[in-house]
Amino acid sequence: MGDSVELTSVGYLMANKEFQDDVLNDDLKTDGSVVASCALAGMIIGGLVAGAFEDSLGRKRTLLGGLSLNGISCIVTAFAPNVAILSALRFFVGLGIGAILSSLTALSAELSPPSQRGLFVTVVSGFWSFGMIYAAAVANIIMGSMNLSWRVFIAVTAIPTLCSVLMVWLYVPDSPRFLALHGQFNEAVRRGNQVAERLGYQGEMLSLREVHYYFSLRDPAKNEKTEIRDCTAAEKDGVAFVVEKEGTSSFGEAFSNISALYSSDLANRTISLQLLWIFLEMGTGLGSFINVIFEEVGQGAYIGSTIAAIGNLVGSILGAIYLDRFGRKSSISVSMIISSMSIVCAAWVVNGDSHPMLPLTLTTLVFSGLTSLAWNANMTLSAEMFPTKVRSTGLGYVAATGRIACIVQQFINGALVESPAILLTFAGGLLLVGSSTMLLLKTHDMARQPLSDAVSGRGVNGGGHQGNFMMVPLGKEGDGTKQGNQSQELSLPAVV
């Protein structure tokens, strides 16, 4: 929610006359585009760096770091004296958001049961809509009804992020998959069972032995053995743990993870998702200027984002209900096609001599609702397409690609903002083309399927267990339980 508030707030700043005079010097096209793009530039670097190193540093640690940087930078932004300093601070805000988005999506996917992963990720992502609503309400009250400075508005928008730091610290566990993959088996078992209890699971709990069986850390290609960090000597002896360590540095692992994204196993997924992010980011990139568009057609400065926030909330609800039923790929394609049609209809409305509020409101609701659905499906799909070993790296990388495109789109927005019909038509065309990217993705839809943990050929299991891993109860002799490379879904829903 906090990251949504931060990004949404820039749209209200652009429409604020005091901000335009004091900071932008009435140069909305150039300085306005720079301010809007600085956060995106920060998100690119933050996503790339945090994603690459998060796969060795940890999900929760990275998330807390991103939230802290985001909140502190936002508060300092309220005191920015000019556009240069404000742009630099917005860049640091973006660094934090980049770290938040890659870690939050990976963490929520890894803490979710396969049958409800779309629901869980959508609920987490859906708070973006509440952030939009919060920003709209605060903008209307502070800069509208109370007629206070934009600096007060910016300071108040930092509240959700600062609250999130405390809540994540106290209540959000780290990913059991990540912990197991990095040899912290006792902690993985403890966290996995903790999450299972919170979800109401009442069956047999996860054991240290079964976690070790499926997550013995060794890369056969590099002959690496990784130390089991948190087990007692007796536990090590009892399950024959490998204790020799010949691991690589964090920088070496980060570089290796990036290289793996274009390996034969992941190249199609990475490229397909990069294209999807490009078209989806550019197609929805007009969001930063939607207030200005409504102002241009005489409908008021804050109405556009308020309508968009409501539409986003509806889209998130639809995603939570239907994403696990209809799958990610079909949801993305259908929602992008219909949202493209709706935004072209909005272009037709604003191009006329009169600008009736009802058609403009309806088309904006449909557009924002279905692009919200597409984004929720995209975030879920992107997390599922990459194994745990490189999940945050992959998320950060494909998201950075889309944000580079979104920066370009911001300058296009600035150039076309006085011609809203052309701007909206252009956005619709991008979404229509982007809907075809799912045809390029050769991997089957992973709705209700277990996540993978290792890159094929770079397996994490010294016993030869590579590809898709799931934590399942170890079969006892004679019970007929399938083991080895054949996967079964564990009844414990929180950690598979």
Side-chain angles (χ1 to χ4, degrees):
M1 177 176 171
D3 53 342
S4 169
V5 174
E6 298 291 350
L7 288 180
T8 305
S9 64
V10 71
Y12 297 106
L13 292 180
M14 297 297 176
N16 182 264
K17 185 61 176 174
E18 179 195 355
F19 179 79
Q20 293 176 8
D21 294 339
D22 293 349
V23 179
L24 300 183
N25 299 315
D26 285 327
D27 188 0
L28 185 62
K29 289 185 178 180
T30 303
D31 287 349
S33 296
V34 169
V35 170
S37 299
C38 278
L40 292 173
M43 289 170 68
I44 292 170
I45 297 176
L48 285 173
V49 174
F53 285 94
E54 181 189 334
D55 285 313
S56 59
L57 295 177
R59 314 293 193 225
K60 183 174 180 178
R61 187 184 303 176
T62 305
L63 179 58
L64 285 170
L67 287 168
S68 300
L69 178 60
N70 186 2
I72 293 171
S73 300
C74 181
I75 291 176
V76 178
T77 299
F79 301 95
N82 53 52
V83 68
I85 294 178
L86 185 137
S87 297
L89 291 169
R90 293 295 299 174
F91 175 80
F92 283 104
V93 167
L95 284 177
I97 294 175
I100 292 169
L101 293 182
S102 63
S103 56
L104 182 62
T105 304
L107 185 59
S108 58
E110 291 168 5
L111 291 174
S112 306
S115 60
Q116 295 178 298
R117 191 181 306 119
L119 169 63
F120 278 53
V121 175
T122 298
V123 169
V124 172
S125 301
F127 271 81
W128 182 278
S129 303
F130 288 104
M132 293 182 68
I133 295 173
Y134 175 84
V138 170
N140 276 288
I141 294 172
I142 292 180
M143 295 190 296
S145 301
M146 300 178 67
N147 197 28
L148 297 177
S149 170
W150 63 270
R151 299 179 187 277
V152 178
F153 166 68
I154 286 295
V156 174
T157 59
I159 293 175
T161 300
L162 296 176
C163 291
S164 297
V165 175
L166 180 61
M167 295 181 69
V168 170
W169 177 269
L170 293 176
Y171 300 115
V172 178
D174 212 335
S175 164
R177 283 181 174 274
F178 174 87
L179 295 170
L181 198 64
H182 287 75
Q184 301 178 52
F185 289 172
N186 274 347
E187 186 67 9
V189 171
R190 187 173 75 86
R191 293 298 185 184
N193 288 333
Q194 180 185 68
V195 174
E197 290 176 354
R198 291 178 181 177
L199 291 175
Y201 175 74
Q202 298 179 347
E204 183 178 354
M205 287 296 176
L206 197 64
S207 71
L208 181 65
R209 182 180 181 86
E210 63 187 311
V211 173
H212 173 262
Y213 181 84
Y214 284 93
F215 286 89
S216 273
L217 300 186
R218 175 186 290 179
D219 189 335
K222 299 180 181 178
N223 195 29
E224 289 180 354
K225 299 176 183 178
T226 303
E227 180 182 8
I228 307 307
R229 305 176 198 167
D230 57 3
C231 298
T232 65
E235 288 169 335
K236 291 178 183 177
D237 293 339
V239 292
F241 284 123
V242 177
V243 296
E244 179 185 358
K245 184 174 181 180
E246 302 173 6
T248 58
S249 66
S250 295
F251 284 97
E253 183 175 354
F255 180 77
S256 176
N257 289 343
I258 293 173
S259 300
L261 299 181
Y262 292 97
S263 66
S264 58
D265 299 297
L266 296 180
N268 174 260
R269 304 183 188 189
T270 302
I271 295 172
S272 298
L273 288 173
Q274 283 180 298
L275 291 173
L276 173 62
W277 275 80
I278 287 172
F279 286 109
L280 197 52
E281 283 277 16
M282 292 188 72
T284 58
L286 59 91
S288 294
F289 284 86
I290 193 167
N291 288 327
V292 183
I293 290 175
F294 269 75
E295 183 74 12
E296 287 290 331
V297 299
Q299 298 295 348
Y302 303 123
I303 294 178
S305 282
T306 304
I307 295 172
I310 296 172
N312 269 271
L313 181 59
V314 174
S316 296
I317 294 173
L318 291 175
I321 296 174
Y322 294 110
L323 201 53
D324 286 314
R325 299 184 186 181
F326 298 121
R328 323 321 185 197
K329 296 169 70 174
S330 58
S331 297
I332 290 171
S333 296
V334 172
S335 58
M336 289 182 74
I337 290 172
I338 300 177
S339 62
S340 170
M341 296 168 60
S342 69
I343 205 66
V344 171
C345 290
W348 177 77
V349 172
V350 302
N351 194 45
D353 294 331
S354 62
H355 310 298
M357 188 61 182
L358 180 59
L360 190 58
T361 299
L362 291 177
T363 52
T364 302
L365 281 172
V366 173
F367 172 77
S368 58
L370 290 176
T371 51
S372 173
L373 175 59
W375 271 114
N376 287 324
N378 176 39
M379 298 298 286
T380 306
L381 178 71
S382 297
E384 293 171 335
M385 287 294 102
F386 298 108
T388 304
K389 175 71 176 173
V390 296
R391 181 163 293 120
S392 287
T393 303
L395 281 167
Y397 203 80
V398 298
T401 305
R403 286 160 192 157
I404 291 173
C406 195
I407 289 178
V408 176
Q409 176 67 11
Q410 295 303 318
F411 287 94
I412 296 174
N413 286 352
L416 297 178
V417 70
E418 294 180 0
S419 303
I422 298 176
L423 175 59
L424 297 178
T425 302
F426 180 69
L430 291 171
L431 289 171
L432 184 61
V433 174
S435 66
S436 64
T437 56
M438 289 297 91
L439 299 175
L440 303 176
L441 185 60
K442 298 178 181 179
T443 307
H444 64 82
D445 202 298
M446 290 188 65
R448 299 177 178 269
Q449 299 299 314
L451 294 173
S452 60
D453 291 308
V455 182
S456 179
R458 302 169 70 239
V460 297
N461 194 299
H465 303 279
Q466 300 178 11
N468 292 339
F469 291 95
M470 300 187 324
M471 288 187 260
V472 304
L474 293 181
K476 299 177 182 178
E477 275 187 55
D479 70 353
T481 302
K482 298 179 182 179
Q483 296 184 7
N485 288 327
Q486 294 181 337
S487 298
Q488 310 169 58
E489 183 171 349
L490 175 63
S491 55
L492 177 60
V495 293
V496 298

